[in-house]
Structure formats: C-alpha cells, structure tokens
Amino acid sequence: MAAANRPLAEKAPAAEDTFFDGEPGLAAVYDYDYEKMVDFYQKLGWATFILVPPAWFGCFVCVPCFINQNVEWDARSRHVALTVDGIKFVHDRRKTLCGLYCTDRGKESKTVPYDKITDCDVQEPAGTACCCCISRVLYTVTVDTASSGGTQDGEPVHELELEGLKHPYEFKQAVWSMKRGEALAGVSAAARPVAPVAGAPVQIDMNTPLLTEIRDELRKLNGLMSAKYGSA
C-alpha cells in the first residue's frame, strides 16, 4: 500500500530547536530538555569533583572554574530529528575544557535507517547517579539494530542513546510509525516515508499467433485420441 494511503501517526510536538531548519527530507524535530540536562549534569559534575579526592588536583588547572560551562557546551550542542532516511542525531561542534579554540571538539552526526532498527524503547529515570545524593531525572531513548548489542563495562551497548528528550514516548511512537511506512501528521508528502511496493511479476512475452496454433494442435490431438480410444 502506498504511504499516502496509510494512516497518519499522531502529530509530533512543536519543536523549538531550529538546528535542522532547511534540512532536506525533514519529517520532525524533537527537543532536548536542555535546562533539565544542564541542571542534572552540573550537580553530578560538582558531586563527583567533591567526593573523588584525586579530582581535587584539577584545582591547579582551574577545572572547577569550567565545570558548569563544559556541561552547557556539551548539552546544548545535541540535536535529533526524524528524516525520510532515519533517525538523525547530531552532536555539533562545541568547546571543551577551558574553552580555547585548540580544545574544540568537531561535529559528530549519525543516521540510523528505519529498516535497520530492531528495537526502540524508553528507559525511565530511577535511583541516584552519585552516592544517593543526585537523583536521576532524565529519560533515555535507546535504539538498537542487528549490529548493536553486547556489553561494555557491564552496560548494554546500543546503536543510539538519546538522553534528556522532552517527549521521549512521542519520539518512540514516531520512530515505529516511520518504520511501518506511516506518515506523521502535519508532514509534507515529500517528507513521508515510502513503503516498499511489491513489483509486478515478470511476464514472458510470447507470440499470440503461436499460442493459438499450439492450442489448435492440442485440440486436434485430443479429438484423435478420443475417437481411437473413446472417452474415459
């Protein structure tokens, strides 16, 4: 069935992120909750610095002066959208460490095609992140493909992890809808996924007069056999 005839999925939440403006084949943009991410990771950064004595040596190179700013730079450089090709995640160019040009990290991007996705789910926040003093508050969307899996440092390895989305469940629903070839409400036809269409079976191009001649000969043969042996 063509994508145009498939049901529309629920309309994606309005996004404030303008990073993907003008992106070809854009279907929907999903916002990160930057304020919540910054608040959580700044608290975690300071707790780690205070509770881990070896980190105190960072005072000699002014590490505490840049904890908050590094969290801001990292969090606000994350962007994610759904396109006709798949989930597109971008970690844009950002400052690190003391903020000098020589310490910048380059732009990183990744697209996970819908037809490669085997699982997309939401992990709800629970427990604490540091010595029972920093509560986990960020939802995490995990995306898996056939090539992902295994563990690293005792944790499962996913194809893509998106921590801190404002609307994680709506994002999950939209991913599955796009994978099924459904269109998101409010998305232009050009940005809608195209469901695979089965091709028509290949027909052998045969000469009609030849087929007619073969049919007539078979009828004659059948008549001769009936006359000689009689009908069964």
Side-chain angles (χ1 to χ4, degrees), residues 104-149:
D104 283 1
R105 290 198 64 176
K107 177 180 176 180
E108 305 161 37
S109 63
K110 184 174 189 175
T111 299
V112 182
Y114 299 116
D115 60 350
K116 302 296 183 183
I117 295 174
T118 58
D119 191 26
C120 178
D121 214 340
V122 178
Q123 294 180 0
E124 297 186 351
T128 57
C130 182
C131 297
C132 299
C133 58
I134 308 295
S135 297
R136 298 184 184 274
V137 295
L138 302 177
Y139 286 81
T140 302
V141 176
T142 58
V143 179
D144 290 307
T145 64
S147 60
S148 62

Side-chain angles (χ1 to χ4, degrees), residues 70-82:
N70 271 268
V71 170
E72 287 268 1
W73 289 331
D74 185 77
R76 297 186 184 278
S77 61
R78 296 172 182 264
H79 313 274
V80 67
L82 300 183

